Amino acid sequence: MFQIPCYQMTGYDMVGRSTESPIDFVVTDTISGSQNNDETQITQSTISRFACRIVCDRNPPYTARIFAAGFDSSKNIFLGEKAAKWKNPDGHMDGLTTNGVLVMHPKGGFTEESKPGVWREISVCGDVYTLRETRSAQQRGKLVENETNVLQDGSLVDLCGATLLWRTADGLFHTPTQKHIEALRQEINAARPQCPVGLNTLAFPSINRKDVVEEKQPWAYLSCGHVHGYHNWGHRSDTEANERECPMCRTVGPYVPLWLGCEAGFYVDAGPPTHAFTPCGHVCSEKSAKYWSQIPLPHGTHAFHAACPFCAAQLSGEHNCVKLIFQGPVD
């Protein structure tokens, strides 16, 4: 998932896969579960070259509106041959990108009390429609006349291959900072959590080493939440190498390293990192974990599922996240 802060907008910006000069924000396909963009190569992108336009008012309250498609180097709206197009009753042409630009506004804004909204599709002229039967279907959805294309704090924009999170300046002002997340990391490490079996001290690695599993890294059994150090025993199956039996409660489930979610813009509150997403092991606050665990993100041509905001891994388990159980030092 990508975050687009509104203060980076210059009044009129275009987003898409193309690297041509008209594109202001180049986006690439998100690889589910990847720690970085180099792990997997995309053979064929489903993101439109000229996916959408975002227009921001230059005067308060700096309202931002989203429109499907964008202008190419010839200053013409670019739509693929298979894209849906039609003429409105007022005589103006309108259309949809091949795989659509979907938008979801959370109910209650982007706060700890937010609830998922309804996914809609945005047209070239900025009208709001219900979703098509599939992403690339020729038949458009029904016009939703009482909704607009205005973006709000926490709005999600899906480009069929990448999902963007829109954050406003006011929303980011109330969001935890990178320094705050680092302070939470140091605080939990200062408590000296221990492996309940090996009794060795555990510590979350620094954010700039988030791709390397370290010796003191906390690991967790995601079915129960018990936090341990790494060990190479407890396997329950030769075929499921990641399935382990927790020595504390005998629960069988995934056993993974824990990673502190380091993108501050994805947090809905400033609470301590107490919950982990399953099955990836990214850790954040309880309310942030529960918020993202209930957000249905578009997947493929017509499916939806919740995903970790930090790595895009599809979530699983009873609640998509688990409360972590740390053991303090015995001394």
Side-chain angles (χ1 to χ4, degrees), residues 32 277-279 289-299 304-309 312-316 319-320:
S32 177
F277 290 109
T278 59
K290 290 184 176 180
Y291 173 77
W292 288 107
S293 294
Q294 63 180 344
I295 297 295
L297 297 177
H299 178 71
F304 291 82
H305 62 64
C308 171
Q314 182 175 344
L315 301 183
S316 61
H319 302 291
N320 291 333

Side-chain angles (χ1 to χ4, degrees), residues 223-246:
S223 292
C224 59
H226 282 110
V227 179
H228 291 252
Y230 177 74
H231 50 254
N232 194 27
W233 41 265
H235 294 279
R236 299 289 292 178
S237 171
D238 294 334
T239 57
E240 295 292 340
N242 202 35
E243 293 286 315
R244 304 280 191 94
E245 181 182 79
C246 174

Side-chain angles (χ1 to χ4, degrees), residues 8-313:
Q8 290 186 358
M9 292 291 171
T10 60
Y12 181 96
D13 290 277
M14 291 198 294
V15 182
R17 171 172 54 88
S18 174
T19 56
E20 296 181 31
S21 58
I23 297 296
D24 301 284
F25 288 84
V26 178
V27 294
T28 57
D29 294 73
T30 301
I31 308 300
S32 177
S34 294
Q35 292 284 351
N36 58 67
N37 293 330
D38 299 327
E39 291 186 5
T40 307
Q41 296 294 322
I42 293 290
T43 56
Q44 186 174 1
S45 176
T46 51
I47 302 174
S48 296
R49 292 173 57 212
F50 301 88
C52 66
R53 294 158 285 145
I54 297 177
V55 181
C56 298
D57 291 346
R58 296 182 180 273
N59 299 309
Y62 307 109
T63 301
R65 295 176 174 83
I66 186 169
F67 302 82
F71 294 98
D72 59 19
S73 55
S74 301
K75 299 183 180 180
N76 294 316
I77 283 290
F78 184 90
L79 286 175
E81 293 182 1
K82 298 181 180 179
K85 310 174 188 70
W86 65 90
K87 180 180 289 187
N88 285 325
D90 60 5
H92 288 90
M93 293 298 297
D94 203 352
L96 307 170
T97 60
T98 302
N99 291 320
V101 175
L102 308 188
V103 174
M104 189 273 281
H105 307 298
K107 298 177 181 177
F110 194 66
T111 68
E112 53 194 59
E113 305 300 330
S114 298
K115 299 295 180 182
V118 179
W119 283 97
R120 302 298 195 194
E121 182 163 11
I122 305 298
S123 73
V124 171
C125 293
D127 289 333
V128 181
Y129 290 86
T130 60
L131 301 188
R132 288 178 273 180
E133 185 175 346
T134 62
R135 290 297 290 257
S136 58
Q138 287 292 307
Q139 181 62 44
R140 66 182 184 273
K142 295 181 179 179
L143 179 66
V144 185
E145 297 184 359
N146 62 339
E147 296 184 19
T148 71
N149 61 336
V150 173
L151 295 174
Q152 58 185 255
D153 191 40
S155 292
L156 290 171
V157 180
D158 187 82
L159 305 178
C160 194
T163 303
L164 314 179
L165 171 66
W166 177 261
R167 297 304 313 270
T168 64
D170 183 64
L172 288 173
F173 180 78
H174 296 91
T175 294
T177 63
Q178 205 72 45
K179 289 184 178 180
H180 179 76
I181 294 178
E182 174 61 19
L184 290 176
R185 185 189 73 85
Q186 295 181 10
E187 182 179 343
I188 198 170
N189 287 347
R192 296 171 56 207
Q194 287 188 343
C195 174
V197 176
L199 300 182
N200 52 306
T201 302
L202 307 175
F204 281 96
S206 62
I207 292 176
N208 59 3
R209 292 183 59 83
K210 60 181 174 36
D211 297 329
V212 180
V213 178
E214 298 189 349
E215 183 180 357
K216 293 184 177 181
Q217 183 122 1
W219 287 62
Y221 290 89
L222 296 182
S223 292
C224 59
H226 282 110
V227 179
H228 291 252
Y230 177 74
H231 50 254
N232 194 27
W233 41 265
H235 294 279
R236 299 289 292 178
S237 171
D238 294 334
T239 57
E240 295 292 340
N242 202 35
E243 293 286 315
R244 304 280 191 94
E245 181 182 79
C246 174
M248 301 296 293
C249 64
R250 315 292 289 184
T251 301
V252 177
Y255 173 66
V256 300
L258 298 178
W259 305 92
L260 190 62
C262 61
E263 179 48 70
F266 295 157
Y267 285 72
V268 299
D269 71 332
T274 58
H275 284 62
F277 290 109
T278 59
C280 61
H282 277 102
V283 180
C284 62
S285 66
E286 176 183 5
K287 290 182 177 180
S288 296
K290 290 184 176 180
Y291 173 77
W292 288 107
S293 294
Q294 63 180 344
I295 297 295
L297 297 177
H299 178 71
T301 58
H302 58 272
F304 291 82
H305 62 64
C308 171
F310 303 106
C311 69

